[in-house]
Amino acid sequence: MDIFKFGGASVKDAAGVKNLANIVRDYKNGNLLIVISAMGKITNRLEDLTHAYLSQSDEAHAIFDEIKNFHFQIIDTLFEGKANPVYDDVANTFVEIDWLIEDEPDNDVDYIYDQIVSIGEVVSTKIVAAWLNETGSKSLWVDARNFIQTDNTYKEGKVDWLKSNQIIQRDLVPLLHENIIVTQGFIGGTSENYTTTLGREGSDYSAAIFASCLNAAALTIWKDVPGVLNADPKWFDETEKIAQLSYHDAIELTYYGATVIHPKTIKPLQNKGIPLFVRSFIQPEGFGTAITKENNPLPVPSFIFKVNQALISIFPKDYSFIIEENLSKIFERFHKHKIKINTMLNSAISFSVSVDDRSAQIEKLINDLSTEFTIKYNKGLELVTIRYYNQNTIDRVTVDKEILLEVKSRHTCQMVMKNKIA
Ligand SMILES: Nc1ncnc2c1ncn2[C@@H]1O[C@H](COP(=O)(O)OP(=O)(O)O)[C@@H](O)[C@H]1O
Ligand SMILES: N[C@@H](CC(=O)OP(=O)(O)O)C(=O)O
């Protein structure tokens, strides 16, 4: 059996849903489970709705109406106004949120976030399952929250692998023999049946969980690019497709920020030796990229850009070395304020890190550290990571840039830079 994952970009409109159905219709290799994300950028709008509701802004109802209209327009285009149970099914899902936002919010903001934001995936899968059935691909909508079991860390649910595996084996495997299964990415359920989400962009990870628990032959992620490229085409005019990538390189690239695949996706697949194919839903006949255990080095250097970086330099006030005790204090504070370090470098009495610039969090971190450390803080920077770098590639990305921090290992070079002042 195979797993297909379709992200928001592939189902951003009715034409996308039809294209998905064509890809599914052409699949002839046996049982299939499809994991789908929310349509287009709806998760961002659901986040806006959550914030509006939590701050009791008048905008909440207008945003929610816009979200509903967006989906009903897609349903209207697909079904051309013909009576189909999907209208009621989707309307009933929205009613749950109508009820929720009628009441005043309580303090559990992450819980509220998950109950609202998760409906993007619930609704998109209902629409796609209905369309597959309408066009002759016999499909069954299943609720991922019954299968992907998590703890109650709302917004970042931690997967209970043992329990999820047992339930998937017991309840999902029998359903696969008769239908194409359509389910949601990004969402899970707690033991008390509350909805959790697995972290933004988490649908790839969901697909990998299903692939692992079902011992799938392969996972295919359908994208708007021909496969994994050696750089994000949004930043680079000239990119090359990488036909084959090792699990190891895939983890490194995604960890450093190649947003084409969620970084947590690779491990479950690697652990079971399940290949991951990244293919284009625009040109489904293309081969895409195969991510497998084959350990060939990348044929070309790969670039990852992250903008909006802050460089924080930390110096012990008492001039003590940056060794175990100071390092553990510093890491403990980063952990406490949930700030992810993108790259780091230390000297005898300084420790520098580049992080995504989220001012409110960083301010709290700096306050917390400043009793014992002197802090210097630089904003508006870029971080470039080059996997399999050479001097040419470094020269190419550093034209007119001043390098503030550089970290090199055998295969990876990272530089934090700013524009040179003319
Ligand atoms: N190395 C890379 N190779 C291919 N695409 C990349 C790479 N790095 C970033 N991307 C970006 O990832 C995008 C696809 O991801 P995304 O828009 O999140 O899709 P989806 O909604 O299907 O999850 C591409 O359009 C591309 O801009
Ligand atoms: N819809 C969720 C989960 C996800 O992974 O979406 P996508 O597959 O479109 O990146 C999000 O936007 O975070």
Side-chain angles (χ1 to χ4, degrees), residues 5-11 35-44 46-47 113 117 120-121 185-187 197 199-206 221-223 259-260 262:
K5 182 263 172 174
F6 290 92
S10 67
V11 287
V35 174
I36 304 169
S37 305
M39 296 180 140
K41 301 277 179 206
I42 279 297
T43 306
N44 293 349
L46 286 163
E47 282 192 342
Y113 174 99
V117 168
E121 268 66 15
F186 181 53
I187 67 175
T197 61
R200 284 301 308 265
E201 273 100 50
S203 293
D204 294 348
Y205 181 45
S206 302
I221 296 185
W222 296 90
K223 287 274 168 186
T259 53
V260 64
H262 190 283

Side-chain angles (χ1 to χ4, degrees), residues 5-10 37-38 40-41 201 204 221-235 242 253 257-261 278 281 303-304:
K5 182 263 172 174
F6 290 92
S10 67
S37 305
K41 301 277 179 206
E201 273 100 50
D204 294 348
I221 296 185
W222 296 90
K223 287 274 168 186
D224 61 358
V225 281
V228 178
L229 308 171
N230 70 328
D232 186 342
K234 287 194 183 104
W235 292 96
I242 301 166
L253 292 176
T259 53
V260 64
I261 311 163
V278 179
F281 62 77
F303 303 86
I304 300 138

Side-chain angles (χ1 to χ4, degrees), residues 81-117:
K82 276 183 274 165
N84 187 294
V86 73
Y87 281 94
D88 281 347
D89 211 4
V90 168
N92 289 338
T93 308
F94 287 136
V95 164
E96 289 171 31
I97 303 305
D98 272 320
W99 286 341
L100 193 150
I101 64 175
E102 277 319 311
D103 290 333
E104 292 222 340
D106 60 27
N107 289 332
D108 200 347
V109 291
D110 290 349
Y111 167 81
I112 292 170
Y113 174 99
D114 280 0
Q115 310 317 302
I116 295 178
V117 168

